[in-house]
Amino acid sequence: QAQLVESGGGSVRPGGSLKLSCLAPGLRDAMRVMAWFRQRPGKEREWVASIKVDDGSTYYADPVKRRFIVSRDLAENSVFLQMNDFLPADSGVYYCAGTRFFTHEALLGDARQFGLWGQGTRVSVSS
């Protein structure tokens, strides 16, 4: 079964930027929707953003709108999350997720729609 592998985590200053990557083998042919989720300390896992693989349409959770950008590169089998204007509340473990089925629920962040998950990459704020 294909695995998703995140990378790019680390420390970022408040107001700074960081770009996460997710390697998704078979992205172009097998995946329909990819998403990013995060789990902040002491919080439940929450949806961050989704992207429709075929046309690149993007969807964002309210806390990250106009700060984060999700994108994909089909040639590289990769999905990215550009995080800008980083806030301390953005700290946590970020997970890449994918589904072979297109559903509106997946676009809007229903975690139950996603069958493939990465291991997560940690992002923290630095002083």
Side-chain angles (χ1 to χ4, degrees):
Q1 188 174 14
Q3 298 289 322
L4 304 180
V5 181
E6 303 97 336
S7 61
S11 295
V12 57
R13 292 181 180 273
S17 297
L18 193 68
K19 187 173 184 178
L20 305 182
S21 300
C22 172
L23 182 62
L27 178 64
R28 179 200 298 268
D29 298 325
M31 298 298 176
R32 296 294 177 262
V33 180
M34 298 293 295
W36 288 94
F37 290 80
R38 68 185 180 188
Q39 187 161 19
R40 298 181 286 166
K43 304 285 188 181
E44 297 288 321
R45 182 178 56 189
E46 62 182 355
W47 171 65
V48 174
S50 294
I51 185 166
K52 194 163 173 281
V53 174
D54 59 357
D55 65 9
S57 301
T58 57
Y59 303 80
Y60 297 95
D62 286 344
V64 307
K65 275 182 183 175
R66 291 178 292 279
R67 297 191 299 120
F68 289 12
I69 301 170
V70 60
S71 61
R72 90 277 192 251
D73 186 322
L74 299 179
E76 292 188 5
N77 285 317
S78 293
V79 178
F80 307 99
L81 184 68
Q82 175 69 46
M83 302 186 292
N84 301 316
D85 193 18
F86 196 82
L87 302 173
D90 293 322
S91 297
V93 179
Y94 283 72
Y95 298 91
C96 177
T99 176
R100 295 183 172 90
F101 305 99
F102 171 77
T103 64
H104 289 288
E105 289 82 1
L107 291 178
L108 297 180
D110 182 349
R112 297 169 297 180
Q113 304 296 315
F114 294 91
L116 289 176
W117 292 82
Q119 79 289 351
T121 186
R122 187 174 298 276
V123 181
S124 60
V125 64
S126 60
S127 56

